[in-house]
Amino acid sequence: MSRLRSGSRSLLRLLVLGAAIAYLGLAAAWTGANLGDIPHYGDTMEYLAIANGRIERDSYRGPLYPALLRGLDALDGPPRFRAPIAWERARTAVCRGAPVLIVLQVGQFLLCALALVCFVRATGFSLSVRRVLPVGQERLLVALLLFDPLVAHFSLAVMPDSLALSASLLFLVGVIHLARMRTWPHQLAAASVALVSFLVAAGVRPEKRIVLIAVLFLTGLVWFACRHRRGVLPEPRAWRRAGVLFVCVGIAALAISSGTPAERSGTSRWDLSTTILHQRVIWPHLTKVYDELPASVQERIPRHLARFYDERIHNPWHVFNETLRADEQERRALTRAIVPVVLAELWPELLLDVAGDMIENVFATPSYYARLAVWMAQGEPRSAFEQTFEATPLTYFMFAWHHPLLSRVYTGAGAAVTAMALALALGGMRRRRLPAESWWAIVAVPVGLFLVTNAGAFAASANLVHIRYALAAHVVGLLWVYRGALAWWNESSEP
């Protein structure tokens, strides 16, 4: 019986290894085929336009990514960075970017690989800063994460999401090592990594200023509470070093904020607070509360226009800017009149919506694949993101733009490998020891706080679940699953 069981385990190990090799080969083929092709996101068009000077940057865009694009453009001769004309005129065109954009894509891939290596090592269950996995398994784990369909896709996209992911992971690495290190030079190195990665993350995505500062502050509070419970208070020099890092991060955040242009009067671009009130509170509830709205609002916004407003998350701009021709003052006045009514009538529903979106942002991987499966089961209607708006099918549509069949196989393989790894991870969970208490305090606390804070920031700002905003949660979830599968692999090799 034991010989039969050993043979079954050997066969299963062989199948698992073959599946991993085949999957990475497919991932490499997809990446090579898409290298140089630019996913057709609207945000990409805007970043290229900002880099080319055709439009001005505003508070929605961090300063670093347009500056990076301008720098790359300068390496390629006279300034001429713009999207291909065919892309601007026909969204069905297959477009390749300027050759220098391949440098950007490769650079984003390499930085993501570096961040994943550091993050995998820093979050190991051992508190040693040395490798906690054999070299071969560590490389396999990093490769599985780097060539995940979504991670690879956003690494090739001309958008800041890949850089924001890499910088956020490196920030967490710096914070984790700051708690582990005991000598001043090592602590200085860890603090420097955290500070530089904060500058990059906050420079490419504005919300990371708030998220990462909150993570740093809350992590410090939790660590202090844990030490206080054990009756061991931090040394005075530890307080000073933590204070210096927090002050440096705050100064960096203020510097980035001061360089962010404010809303210009008379423009169609809304200030962030007004946008959040519409996307999170009012949309898509205007029709539900229409009868309770003040007569002045009903007179300005007819019922049929309220229905159009609720059809798509982007329609509020169309209604207020194009149909109503509302200026900034009227836009804010109408918003202030509508928001209290929605809150009074629908506050339980709004709280449930925020909580649900937050949960999906934390558990980003099952959310993405579940939404994608539902959309595919419906026949993949383009109305899901053209007439209404669902971010998951839009992401897949952009992902599969240039090589539809290969992309479909790659996505299916990614889902299958994740499911297989999850089954293996759960299979041997009962026999495994939980990580030490120190691991939960030093590693799980900052990582968990980042996932929750980042998820909450987006859940509270828009009634929308978008995997690009929860890419870090996707990576952390995959890391947990793959680590569990590797643990099963190591256990199955024991006699």
Side-chain angles (χ1 to χ4, degrees):
M1 179 66 70
S2 61
R3 187 175 300 176
L4 180 61
R5 186 176 302 169
S6 176
S8 299
R9 284 189 301 181
S10 298
L11 178 59
L12 182 57
R13 282 166 58 87
L14 185 62
L15 292 175
V16 169
L17 179 61
I21 293 174
Y23 172 63
L24 290 177
L26 174 64
W30 182 91
T31 303
N34 283 272
L35 190 64
D37 292 329
I38 309 302
H40 293 213
Y41 286 100
D43 285 8
T44 299
M45 294 286 291
E46 188 162 324
Y47 278 109
L48 291 172
I50 294 172
N52 195 50
R54 286 183 288 166
I55 63 174
E56 295 184 29
R57 186 178 64 85
D58 54 33
S59 57
Y60 289 78
R61 311 294 179 197
L64 187 56
Y65 206 72
L68 175 61
L69 291 175
R70 283 194 296 271
L72 288 172
D73 192 26
L75 296 176
D76 200 31
R80 55 173 181 75
F81 228 16
R82 62 178 67 243
I85 294 177
W87 185 356
E88 295 179 350
R89 293 181 178 174
R91 289 181 56 82
T92 57
V94 177
C95 302
R96 294 185 68 82
V100 74
L101 288 181
I102 297 179
V103 176
L104 175 66
Q105 293 176 319
V106 173
Q108 291 180 161
F109 249 107
L110 292 177
L111 182 60
C112 188
L114 173 64
L116 288 172
V117 169
C118 296
F119 190 70
V120 166
R121 293 181 180 179
T123 56
F125 291 160
S126 167
L127 286 183
S128 170
V129 297
R130 297 170 295 180
R131 283 194 182 93
V132 295
L133 289 173
V135 177
Q137 291 188 10
E138 181 184 88
R139 290 175 179 173
L140 175 62
L141 182 53
V142 171
L144 288 171
L145 294 172
L146 181 63
F147 288 100
D148 170 79
L150 288 168
V151 176
H153 169 64
F154 285 109
S155 293
L156 294 178
V158 182
M159 292 196 300
D161 301 284
S162 179
L163 292 183
L165 168 66
S166 301
S168 297
L169 295 180
L170 288 173
F171 177 84
L172 293 174
V173 169
V175 172
I176 290 169
H177 283 324
L178 192 62
R180 285 179 172 171
M181 299 301 182
R182 293 293 178 262
T183 63
W184 167 243
H186 289 96
Q187 287 186 336
L188 178 61
S192 299
V193 169
L195 179 59
V196 172
S197 57
F198 172 82
L199 286 169
V200 174
V204 295
R205 289 208 60 93
E207 83 284 345
K208 291 297 183 286
R209 293 189 305 242
I210 300 173
V211 170
L212 296 184
I213 289 178
V215 168
L216 186 62
F217 179 72
L218 293 174
T219 298
L221 286 181
V222 174
W223 283 349
F224 174 79
C226 291
R227 293 178 68 91
H228 185 270
R229 188 184 64 179
R230 298 197 304 267
V232 181
L233 296 181
E235 299 176 0
R237 60 181 178 180
W239 283 107
R240 290 195 295 269
R241 292 169 185 174
V244 168
L245 175 61
F246 197 81
V247 169
C248 289
V249 168
I251 292 174
L254 289 175
I256 295 174
S257 180
S258 63
T260 301
E263 181 196 28
R264 295 177 298 278
S265 180
T267 64
S268 60
R269 188 70 121 181
W270 300 1
D271 61 285
L272 283 174
S273 60
T274 301
T275 299
I276 290 173
L277 288 175
H278 280 270
Q279 290 192 335
R280 178 67 272 177
V281 179
I282 302 177
W283 185 87
H285 308 298
L286 190 57
T287 306
K288 295 179 184 178
V289 301
Y290 189 83
D291 292 335
E292 309 300 325
L293 294 175
S296 59
V297 175
Q298 294 184 8
E299 180 180 351
R300 194 73 177 95
I301 307 177
R303 192 180 294 272
H304 73 277
L305 201 56
R307 286 195 294 268
F308 176 74
Y309 177 102
D310 286 340
E311 288 176 1
R312 180 181 168 92
I313 198 171
H314 302 99
N315 283 0
W317 285 282
H318 182 86
V319 168
F320 278 78
N321 294 341
E322 299 181 23
T323 305
L324 299 180
R325 303 286 182 182
D327 58 17
E328 177 186 350
Q329 184 176 356
E330 183 184 17
R331 184 171 66 227
R332 291 183 176 178
L334 288 172
T335 302
R336 287 195 298 268
I338 297 172
V339 166
V341 177
V342 177
L343 291 176
E345 297 292 325
L346 302 175
W347 65 267
E349 181 177 340
L350 290 174
L351 288 178
L352 289 175
D353 280 346
V354 172
D357 289 352
M358 188 172 175
I359 292 172
E360 287 200 64
N361 287 337
V362 171
F363 298 95
T365 305
S367 168
Y368 174 79
Y369 282 118
R371 286 173 175 266
L372 185 61
V374 170
W375 176 68
M376 287 184 168
Q378 294 172 347
E380 302 182 19
R382 292 181 62 165
S383 60
F385 53 87
E386 289 187 344
Q387 295 177 14
T388 56
F389 186 78
E390 169 64 43
T392 296
L394 174 69
T395 301
Y396 177 80
F397 185 70
M398 298 301 177
F399 168 82
W401 186 297
H402 295 101
H403 303 279
L405 180 58
L406 181 61
S407 299
R408 180 178 291 272
V409 175
Y410 186 25
T411 298
V417 167
T418 302
M420 179 184 69
L422 178 61
L424 296 176
L426 295 177
M429 181 174 288
R430 291 183 180 179
R431 300 189 300 271
R432 295 182 200 127
R433 294 181 180 179
L434 290 175
E437 182 180 354
S438 53
W439 181 89
W440 289 100
I442 294 176
V443 176
V445 165
V447 174
L449 285 173
F450 171 77
L451 298 183
V452 172
T453 306
N454 191 68
F458 285 108
S461 60
N463 191 351
L464 178 70
V465 175
H466 202 325
I467 190 65
R468 64 178 283 204
Y469 302 140
L471 203 54
H474 175 64
V475 168
V476 172
L478 289 179
L479 176 59
W480 179 82
V481 169
Y482 290 148
R483 267 218 174 96
L486 284 175
W488 168 88
W489 176 274
N490 295 329
E491 292 165 359
S492 65
S493 63
E494 299 173 356

